[in-house]
Every structure is written in C-alpha cells, then in structure tokens.
Amino acid sequence: MPRNILKIMPLLAFFMAAALPGHAESPLTWEDCVREAAVANPELEAARAAIRRSRNQVGASRSDFFPTLTPFVGYNASNSSNFRTSPNPDNPGVDVNFVTRQQLELGINLDQNIFSGFQTKAGYDRSKSQLTETEAAYQVTRADVSLDLKTAFARLLFYQEQSFVVRRIVERRKENVRFVELRFEGGRENMGSVMRNRALLEQAQYDLSQTQRSLRVAQRELAKVLGRRFEDSYENLHVKGGFQTHLPKASPDFNTLVLNHPEHRMAEAQTRTARADLRLAKGDLYPSVDANASVSLDKLNNRGDNALWSAGVNITYPFFTGGRDIYELRGARAEQFRVRENLRETDNQLALRLKQAYADFKNAVEAIRVQENFLKASEVRAEIGRSQYANGLISYQDWDLVENDLINNQRTILESGRDALLAEAAWERAQGRGAIP
C-alpha cells in the first residue's frame, strides 16, 4: 500500500464523517465492527445454537447405555352383582348382591438392553461425529461472516473516501471548464473543446451521485453483517481506518492448511457418521437381548399388602422384514463410499482455492505498488501539461489525455487499496478463518 495513501486515508475518513449532515454515531473502527458482529450476527447465533443442540444429542445417545427405571402407580375400582332367582318362603323374588372392589398398585420397572447388534455404541459414535461436524460448520460460518464483514467494511470505507476523491474531481473539472472557456473567448480554443469539458463535468457530477447511492447500499450491507435491525436508518453509519493488509512473507504450507481447514474436518466427520450408520444398519441383522425386572406392591380392598416381583431376559429377532434390513445395509455402504469420495473432492477443491486466493492476494498487493508509481507520474505530468497548455506549447487533445490520466489514476489507486483488502478477506476465507474470534 502506498505510504502517502495510508497516511491520508484515516484523516480523509475522519473529516468526511464529521462533515456529513446529521452525523450522530461515531465512526466504527475495524475492531469495533468485529466485536459487534461477534455477539450480534444472527448467522453466528444460529450456528452456536446448533452446537448446543448437537451436544445435547450426544448426552441423549449416551443415556442408551443406562437402564430405564419407570415407576408406576395405579388405582382401580369396580363392582359386581350376583343374582339369585331361586324362590323360598323368605324371599319369593330375585336376590341381588352388590360387591365393590378397590385395588391400589405401586411399583417400579427396570429395563436394560444387553445387546442390540452394537447399535448403542454406533449411535453414540454417530452423535459425536455429528457434534464434530457441527463445530466445524460453526468455524465455516464464522469464516463466512468474517469475509462478509471485511467485504462490507472495505466497500463502505471505499465509497466514503471515493466521495472525497470524486468531489475533488468535480472541482478540477469545473476549473478546467472555466479554463477552456477563457481560452475559447480569447480565440485560442474551439467550441468542441468547451463542449467536451462541460460533458466531462457532467460525468464527474454523475459519478458523485452514483457514489453517494453506492454509499447508502454499503451502509446497509455493513449493518446487515453487524446484525442490526433492518427497520432502522443507517445513513449515519460510517467507518474509519485504512486499507492495510498483511501478506505472509513466506509461501504457506498448503497441505497443512488443507488438513486444518474446517471444511476438511466437516467432510471427515461425515465419513465417521457414515461408518456409524453402517454399523447401525448391520445391527438390524443381529438379535436383540433385553433384560427387565419389576417390583410392585398390590393392595386389594382392606386385605393385607401383596408384594410382587418379576425378572427375565428376552431375545427377539425379526426373521422376515420384506428385505428392508438388507436394502438399508446396502444403502449405508453406498453412502459410506459417497462421503469418502466427497472427502477427496473437498480436499482437492480446498487446495485449489487456497492456491488461487493466495495468488490473487499477492497480485493485489503488488498492483498497489505499480499504481502508486503511475499516480506519482500522472501528478507530475498534469502539472507540466497544464502549464504547457496555458502557454500554447501542447494541443488540447494532449492536455486532455494528461488530465484524464491523472483522474483515472486517482480512482485506480483507491480501487487498488480496496481490492487488496477484499483479496485478503478472500484469502482468510480460503483458509477457513477470519477476524471474528
């Protein structure tokens, strides 16, 4: 990054923010944006909730190793009637006898799975691999949000400072119009040159309006990444800072970066999940062994308590399920093969993305140095060209080329700084990391 640009950019951002009407919110630094997004971004909040859910699922699957205790209590009341129709001297009619029966039962059941074809262990391993995958997915989300945040910050900073640059261009175009008009009035220039400079002034004014509209979009983009409410107005949202980047001095170890990438860990966790699913499918081909025990206390009407207990072991095996178990086993094997190949493809894609992102980042940083030299040269040429044109030593066409070259280089140096920061954000994302802790 050009040293003179790095020095003036923070000052430009400060004065621009202070000059904007209705400004009430202090400009945010990059560190301010990182802290706010880390706690308020909805994507990060949702990813953290997914981790909490996966951790609870691990605890739920671990409970399958323990017995199930189920207490129970019951109360039943019923009545019965006995009819006697044999007549006798004392009762010549029908004799009806009503009996009320009340029963209270208390007890507890214990159920324990002894063997389920290793499905209990497979289910627990599956939940752990899913937790690993969710944690890696959170790191991917964090890298994505970091990329979005730095991109939004760079764009807003760019449009803030471009507004300042374009205003200067508008003023320079106005001076050029007056300059050429005076020469036209003195008979030393033609009307076509005057008309061209007026058109260039209108172009500069249009560029300023376009920049202001893009600035509003960039403010909304940053507010979205920060997790702020969409109903609010963000015309006073501004940032301050520069386009500083940090290019690694030595070429990184791309193989190590691939193996440490969260997307690699996600794909690796998916292979462990598929392996556990295969064991779960195989478990359906084994018998299930379950133990159960029960203790209860039974009280009937006013008679004494009756203590009961029972215990046993059950072995169940489905001999025929219409071939479902076989098909599920074949499907699990196919899924295991798919995720294993997906891991290979993921690693290849990561290696390519890392190489490309690093090359783009290095190109963007080196391009700044080139543009700095062009800007210096165009500034000197513009000073000389204006003097020569005023003295009639060069034609309007030559002076116009020099002026346009200066203006284009003023734009390009600012774009180069923005592009370098965006390239750094893409390089960080390619590594699966970012500024958000």
Side-chain angles (χ1 to χ4, degrees):
M1 186 72 190
R3 293 181 179 178
N4 57 340
I5 296 295
L6 289 177
K7 290 179 181 178
I8 67 172
M9 279 185 178
L11 294 176
L12 296 181
F14 174 78
F15 288 115
M16 287 173 53
L20 287 171
H23 179 76
E25 182 179 356
S26 299
L28 299 178
T29 65
W30 169 243
E31 291 75 16
D32 294 334
C33 294
V34 170
R35 284 192 293 268
E36 184 172 348
V39 299
N41 183 272
E43 292 184 66
L44 292 176
E45 286 295 300
R48 295 187 189 105
I51 291 179
R52 294 193 295 270
R53 180 196 62 192
S54 294
R55 286 174 179 167
N56 289 325
Q57 288 175 342
V58 171
S61 63
R62 188 187 299 115
S63 65
D64 293 337
F65 290 101
F66 299 96
T68 301
L69 295 176
T70 307
F72 62 89
V73 58
Y75 172 78
N76 294 293
S78 61
N79 69 339
S80 60
S81 302
N82 296 321
F83 295 87
R84 290 185 301 176
T85 58
S86 301
N88 55 62
D90 297 327
N91 185 12
V94 178
D95 184 13
V96 181
N97 182 24
F98 293 96
V99 178
T100 301
R101 184 176 183 272
Q102 295 182 346
Q103 182 182 17
L104 177 65
E105 185 178 16
L106 301 172
I108 186 169
N109 290 329
L110 182 146
D111 296 286
Q112 173 67 58
N113 175 261
I114 300 175
F115 179 74
S116 61
F118 308 104
Q119 287 183 321
T120 302
K121 179 65 166 58
Y124 178 62
D125 292 340
R126 187 180 192 278
S127 65
K128 290 197 300 182
S129 64
Q130 287 180 327
L131 173 60
T132 302
E133 182 181 350
T134 305
E135 291 173 340
Y138 169 72
Q139 294 176 348
V140 172
T141 302
R142 188 174 59 184
D144 289 338
V145 173
S146 293
L147 171 63
D148 294 341
L149 180 63
K150 183 167 285 190
T151 299
F153 181 88
R155 288 176 178 171
L156 180 53
L157 182 62
F158 169 77
Y159 286 118
Q160 286 179 184
E161 300 187 2
Q162 189 184 52
S163 298
F164 180 80
V165 172
V166 175
R167 284 192 180 95
R168 291 178 56 190
I169 293 174
V170 169
E171 294 301 320
R172 189 175 184 90
R173 291 298 190 189
K174 289 180 179 179
E175 293 177 2
N176 290 347
V177 168
R178 289 192 294 268
F179 184 41
V180 175
E181 287 177 344
L182 288 175
R183 289 179 60 84
F184 172 74
E185 293 172 359
R188 291 180 295 174
E189 196 55 77
N190 58 65
M191 190 61 187
S193 299
V194 175
M195 294 175 64
R196 173 173 171 77
N197 274 269
R198 290 174 179 172
L200 289 173
L201 174 58
E202 290 183 5
Q203 176 68 46
Q205 292 171 337
Y206 165 76
D207 291 342
L208 179 59
S209 299
Q210 185 184 48
T211 300
Q212 292 298 319
R213 289 189 289 269
S214 299
L215 176 65
R216 299 292 179 261
V217 176
Q219 288 172 326
R220 175 64 61 173
E221 181 182 10
L222 180 60
K224 177 258 183 188
V225 182
L226 293 177
R228 298 189 179 185
R229 294 172 55 86
F230 73 92
E231 302 94 339
D232 299 335
S233 175
Y234 298 108
E235 293 185 357
N236 294 327
L237 176 61
H238 298 91
V239 296
K240 61 181 179 180
F243 295 117
Q244 295 91 346
T245 57
H246 305 282
L247 180 68
K249 296 181 178 179
S251 180
D253 185 350
F254 292 100
N255 292 337
T256 301
L257 290 176
V258 168
L259 296 177
N260 292 332
H261 201 283
E263 291 185 24
H264 168 81
R265 293 199 297 273
M266 282 180 61
E268 202 173 40
Q270 288 172 356
T271 62
R272 293 194 295 270
T273 300
R275 194 180 307 125
D277 288 338
L278 179 60
R279 295 202 304 270
L280 286 170
K282 288 181 178 179
D284 292 334
L285 303 178
Y286 293 91
S288 177
V289 181
D290 298 276
N292 58 78
S294 176
V295 178
S296 64
L297 183 65
D298 190 2
K299 182 179 181 61
L300 181 62
N301 289 352
N302 294 324
R303 288 181 287 178
D305 298 337
N306 186 19
L308 304 174
W309 65 270
S310 66
V313 176
N314 298 320
I315 300 177
T316 58
Y317 183 78
F319 282 99
F320 180 72
T321 59
R324 182 188 60 189
D325 298 340
I326 300 298
Y327 292 128
E328 289 180 349
L329 178 60
R330 291 176 180 175
R333 285 174 176 166
E335 176 65 11
Q336 186 181 35
F337 178 80
R338 185 194 69 81
V339 296
R340 187 166 55 239
E341 293 303 306
N342 181 67
L343 174 60
R344 290 178 54 202
E345 177 62 19
T346 298
D347 290 345
N348 289 332
Q349 289 182 354
L350 289 174
L352 176 60
R353 282 161 46 189
L354 284 164
K355 283 280 189 178
Q356 185 65 58
Y358 180 74
D360 292 343
F361 183 27
K362 196 168 185 178
N363 291 340
V365 172
E366 292 178 355
I368 295 177
R369 301 188 184 98
V370 176
Q371 293 301 326
E372 180 185 24
N373 294 329
F374 275 113
L375 178 61
K376 290 179 180 179
S378 62
E379 289 173 345
V380 174
R381 290 183 65 212
E383 293 178 4
I384 298 174
R386 178 176 287 269
S387 176
Q388 290 178 330
Y389 179 60
N391 295 319
L393 299 178
I394 61 174
S395 66
Y396 170 80
Q397 287 77 13
D398 293 335
W399 175 70
D400 185 56
L401 290 174
V402 172
E403 281 293 306
N404 289 332
D405 183 63
L406 171 62
I407 290 174
N408 290 335
N409 280 299
Q410 288 175 336
R411 291 175 176 274
T412 303
I413 192 65
L414 193 58
E415 292 171 354
S416 297
R418 176 204 60 189
D419 293 343
L421 193 58
L422 294 178
E424 182 183 46
W427 165 240
E428 292 174 349
R429 173 59 184 88
Q431 299 174 78
R433 65 180 184 87
I436 297 179

